[in-house]
Amino acid sequence: MKKETGSITRILYQNEDFLIAVLRTESEDIKIKGNIYGVEKGETVAVRGTWDNHPKYGEQFAVESWERPIPQTEEQILAFLTSSMVKGCGKKQAKAIVQQFGGKALEIISEERESCLTGIKGIGKKRAKKIVGSVISTFEVQRIVSELLVYGITANMALRAYREYGANILAILKRNPYKLTELDLVGFQKADEIARRIGIMPTSGYRIEACLQYVLQKRCMESGHTYIPKEEWLEETERALNHQSEPSEMVSMDELEDSLMCSEEKLIVNEDECIYPKFLYQQEEKLSRKLSKMRGSRYGRGMPECDRQMEKYQRKNQMILAEKQREAIKQLFREQILILTGGPGTGKTTVVKAMIDIYQKMYPKAAISLAAPTGRASRKLSEVAGHEASTIHRLIGYRQGERPEYNKDNKLPCKLLVLDEMSMVDVSLASYLFQALDPDTTVLMVGDIDQLPSVSPGNVLRDMIHAGIPTVRLTEVFRQAQESQIINNAHRINQGKSILFDKEKDDFFFLLQEDPVKIAELMVKSAKRFMEMGYSLSDILLLSPMRKGPVGTIALNEKLREALNPPSPEKNEWKVGKRLFRTGDKVIQTQTNYDKQVFNGDMGIIQSFTSERDDNGDPVEVMKVNFDGNVVSYARNAVKELELGYAITIHKSQGGEAPIVIMPVTVSHYVMLARNLIYTGMTRAREKVIFIGTEKAMNIAIQNNQIAQRNSRLAERLVRLEERQKCRKEGIALSQ
C-alpha cells in the first residue's frame, strides 16, 4: 500500500461519500478516488491505497485510507483557523487564538472545548461553539469515518451517527451496529451485512431486537397500520432473521418471544396480541379519549338565532342552501365535533363558507382558525373560505421530534376550528392537534373519505365516521357541477361505473395507447401543447401512481424537463451528486422544513442561482425557489430536500389542484390500478383531465375497490368509550 501526500488542486466529482480529484504531490499530479469526507480544493491530505485504471478518468489512485495532517506550526494553525473548514473564526479571532495558545492551539481546543475560547476578546459563547465544532469534526470525524469505512459504513452514515452519539460512536456501533436502523440510516439487511463484518453473532440479542423493531416499524409505515397482529409480526421477523442463516445460526420462535418480553418495556405495546410501536399506541389512545369527551359535549346552542342567520345569509348571497347543507349548519351549533363529507360538486365549499360566516355573525368576538395538512391545501382553503388558513403543523407549532408549542398544557386560542382535507391527516398529527384544543372548542372536519387515506399510519377520518362521530354526508351533485365531465365521471368511478364522454365538451379526454413508452411520449406532448396554449408549468399536474417504469415519475421528470425546460446559455445549473437543477425547473419539497416554512408536497419553480452571506458573513452559493410567491434559498447541502416536480405521484398530489391533470392508465402499473387512486388523481383537476392508456386498464382500476385494510383500533376505542359513558349515565339514573 503506497502513501501519497499533496494538495487538492481540482475536484472532478464529489458527493456526500465519494470524491474524484487531482492531488498535486512533490513529483507529479495524480487522480485520486475514494470515500473521502469533506475535502475541499486547496487542502493538503495524505492518502494510502493502490493504483488502478479507470475507463473514463484513466490511471488513478484508489484511496483506501486518508488523513488531514494536523497543523503543527503557528503559521499552519493560523491558515487552518482562517480556512473555510472552520466556521465562526475570522482573521482577528484566529490571531488571538494563536497568540494565546501558540503551536498547541488545536490540541487545547480539542481537549478543553468552548471554555478555553470564551475568555478571548471577540469570541462569545456562540462563536466559540462554532469554532470548536469545526475543529473537532475536522479531525475527530475523520478518524471515526476512516475506522468505520472498513465495515461498510459510509462517510455520510458515520457523520450522521456521530451527530447523534458524539465521540462514543465507534464503541457504540462496534457493540451494536443495529443502532443504524434506529437512526433510519440503513435497512435491517444492510445493518446485518455490517454486523457480520464486525463479527456480531447471528443469535445476538441486539440483532433479534433490532429485527423485531425494524419489521414492526416498516410494516406500520409502509402499510399505514397502527399495529400488527402478534403472530403475523413474529413470523415475518423469523423469516427476515433466518433467510440466509446456517442451521446452527437459526433464531427460534422461543428466542423471539424472549426478546419480545424485553422489548415490551421499551418501544412496543402488546394489547390483546396486537403489537403497536409505543408512540402509535399512545397517540391512538390519547386521540380516542379526547374525541370521546368532545363527542359527549352536545349543547344545541343558539338554534333560533342560527335559523335567522341562515335566512340572512341566503338573502345576502342570493342563493338557496340545499336541505343537507342547512342540516350541516345546524349540526355545527348542536355538536362540538362534526364531520362534513361528500364528493366533488356536492357543495362542501359553499356550506363551509356559510358556516364560517354565520358563526362569525353569531359570535363576533370568537377566534376562528382554519387549517389543512399541507401548504397547498391550506392555501386552497384560505382562497375558498375568504379567511386566513395555515398548515396544521404551523397552527400548533409542531416540529418533528419536539413537543408542539400548543399542547394539553398550552391550549390553542380558538373557539371554532375548521380542518380541511381531513382524509390526509394521520393518527399522530390528529392526536397532537386535538390535545391542543380547549374543552369548549368547536371542530368542523371536512374531507372526502373516497380519496386516498393518509400516507402515515392511521385511518382517522374513516374510523371517526365508523365510530359514529356526528357526520353530514352531502350527496346531491348541483346543477352547475353536473355540467362538468370531470365531476360526473368522478362520481361514476366511485359507483363502479365506466366513464362517459361528451364530444361537445372539452374538459375530459382519453387518448388510447397501449405501449408504456408511447404513453410517456404522449404525456410529454400533451404538456407541451398546453404550454403552447398559454398555460404555465404551475398550471399542469402530471400524475403517476408509481415512481419507477417508463411512465413512472422518475423517467417522466427527465423527459418533461428536456421538452419543457431544455438547457440554454441563459440558464444556470447545479450538479449536486447525481442530480441536476436548472433555472426554470419545477420542483417539489419532499420534507417539511420549518425554518424555511416550506412543507412536504409544496411545489415551486427554480428562480435563480446566486450568492448570499451566511451567519459569519462569508459568501455562500444558493439556489432560489419560488413557492407561490414565497422565495426560499437553498445551499447545496439542502437541495436533498427537493426533487423535480414536473411529474409527481398521486399520493403527493393530495390537497392540491391545478387547471390541467394528465395521468397514465396502464396495465404496466397493474398493482396500482385502484379506484381511489384514479378518483383522487382526477379530482385534482379544475378544468381538464387527460387520461392516456387503455380502456382495459381503466376498467380494472374502476372495478378494484379493494381498499387496503389498515390495522387501527381507533373506531373500536371510540365505540367502547361511548358504551362506558352510557353505562355510567344509566347507573346514575338508577341510583337516583
Side-chain angles (χ1 to χ4, degrees), residues 524 528 555-567 571 582 585 644 646:
V524 173
K528 196 170 183 179
L556 281 172
N557 268 311
E558 292 300 329
K559 292 182 187 304
L560 286 160
R561 173 164 57 188
E562 187 180 334
L564 305 180
N565 188 34
K571 296 175 186 175
R582 179 181 298 147
D585 273 346
L644 290 181
Y646 295 94

Side-chain angles (χ1 to χ4, degrees), residues 51-63:
W51 289 97
D52 71 359
N53 207 331
H54 189 276
K56 179 177 179 180
Y57 295 106
E59 189 177 41
Q60 58 187 18
F61 196 72
V63 178

Side-chain angles (χ1 to χ4, degrees), residues 148-280:
L148 292 177
L149 280 173
V150 299
Y151 302 120
I153 298 173
T154 67
N156 188 36
M157 286 157 54
L159 180 61
R160 288 179 60 187
Y162 173 81
R163 287 173 184 156
E164 182 72 20
Y165 296 111
N168 294 327
I169 187 59
L170 276 173
I172 290 169
L173 291 184
K174 284 181 179 179
R175 183 175 68 251
N176 181 12
Y178 298 97
K179 287 284 184 184
L180 293 170
T181 62
E182 293 178 18
L183 298 176
D184 202 27
L185 294 174
V186 296
F188 179 76
Q189 288 187 352
K190 179 63 178 177
D192 237 9
E193 290 176 19
I194 294 167
R196 280 196 295 272
R197 291 177 184 175
I198 291 173
I200 304 295
M201 294 293 290
T203 53
S204 160
Y206 289 130
R207 180 174 185 257
I208 296 170
E209 189 171 328
C211 194
L212 284 166
Q213 295 288 350
Y214 180 73
V215 169
L216 180 61
Q217 294 276 352
K218 185 171 183 285
R219 282 291 308 280
C220 287
M221 294 302 160
E222 288 183 354
S223 303
H225 302 314
T226 58
Y227 73 86
I228 307 294
K230 179 182 173 182
E231 186 177 347
E232 182 182 319
W233 174 54
L234 290 178
E235 287 175 355
E236 189 167 336
T237 303
E238 186 182 35
R239 285 195 298 272
L241 285 167
N242 297 330
H243 76 289
Q244 287 183 332
S245 299
E246 299 293 330
S248 61
E249 299 175 339
M250 301 279 273
V251 176
S252 69
M253 193 61 76
D254 287 341
E255 287 172 306
L256 281 178
E257 291 275 7
D258 290 341
S259 286
L260 170 58
M261 291 176 66
C262 296
S263 296
E264 282 188 39
E265 299 175 7
K266 300 177 184 177
L267 300 171
I268 71 162
V269 173
N270 183 352
E271 182 187 60
D272 304 326
E273 304 295 273
C274 298
I275 309 298
Y276 284 83
K278 191 172 185 177
F279 76 99
L280 287 178

Side-chain angles (χ1 to χ4, degrees), residues 280-517:
L280 287 178
Y281 174 84
Q282 291 171 337
Q283 287 160 344
E284 187 177 277
E285 177 73 11
K286 286 177 182 177
L287 179 59
S288 65
R289 292 188 180 280
K290 183 72 175 187
L291 288 172
S292 181
K293 285 180 183 177
M294 295 181 76
R295 177 170 61 177
S297 301
R298 300 179 174 94
Y299 35 76
R301 61 189 182 185
M303 294 313 298
E305 179 63 17
C306 173
D307 289 336
R308 284 194 293 273
Q309 289 296 338
M310 268 200 290
E311 296 306 320
K312 283 185 179 180
Y313 183 85
Q314 290 179 118
R315 286 198 299 272
K316 177 184 173 183
N317 292 279
Q318 297 183 337
M319 62 180 296
I320 298 175
L321 292 163
E323 184 180 347
K324 277 284 186 181
Q325 290 177 321
R326 293 172 65 88
E327 179 191 334
I329 295 169
K330 290 179 179 180
Q331 285 283 74
L332 183 71
F333 297 95
R334 289 195 187 105
E335 307 286 352
Q336 188 181 355
I337 182 168
L338 175 67
I339 297 170
L340 177 68
T341 187
T346 57
K348 292 196 301 294
T349 299
T350 299
V351 74
V352 168
K353 286 183 69 175
M355 286 169 152
I356 294 170
D357 189 274
I358 291 168
Y359 188 92
Q360 281 182 314
K361 290 289 189 293
M362 291 177 63
Y363 306 103
K365 294 182 179 180
I368 301 174
S369 294
L370 277 63
T374 67
R376 282 180 297 164
S378 67
R379 286 190 289 273
K380 176 183 164 189
L381 174 60
S382 182
E383 289 169 8
V384 300
H387 194 289
E388 185 181 351
S390 73
T391 63
I392 296 173
H393 293 81
R394 189 165 54 193
L395 180 72
I396 61 175
Y398 174 59
R399 293 171 180 263
Q400 189 71 35
E402 298 178 13
R403 191 186 193 200
E405 178 188 350
Y406 292 103
N407 50 65
K408 67 182 183 67
D409 300 316
N410 181 31
K411 300 296 187 183
L412 194 65
C414 75
K415 292 300 180 185
L416 172 64
L417 174 61
V418 180
L419 300 169
D420 199 12
E421 297 289 357
M422 196 62 197
S423 63
M424 297 174 64
V425 178
D426 60 79
V427 70
S428 297
L429 186 57
S431 180
Y432 285 129
L433 173 62
F434 277 86
Q435 294 306 310
L437 298 182
D438 249 333
D440 62 347
T441 299
T442 297
V443 182
L444 170 64
M445 293 174 282
V446 185
D448 185 346
I449 61 169
D450 295 317
Q451 287 189 23
L452 294 170
S454 59
V455 175
S456 297
N459 208 355
V460 176
L461 181 63
R462 191 174 289 272
D463 284 348
M464 287 193 296
I465 292 173
H466 287 172
I469 296 292
T471 301
V472 175
R473 181 158 193 165
L474 304 177
T475 55
E476 179 186 350
V477 179
F478 289 93
R479 187 168 59 186
Q480 186 177 354
Q482 288 174 2
E483 297 299 313
S484 166
Q485 288 192 94
I486 299 171
I487 290 174
N488 280 331
N489 280 319
H491 285 281
R492 289 186 66 83
I493 286 173
N494 252 349
Q495 295 160 10
K497 299 177 182 177
S498 59
I499 55 179
L500 296 177
F501 298 95
D502 185 341
K503 293 181 180 179
E504 295 183 3
K505 296 179 179 178
D506 65 348
D507 61 345
F508 199 94
F509 302 90
F510 198 123
L511 307 182
L512 296 176
Q513 179 55 250
E514 190 168 350
D515 184 350
V517 174

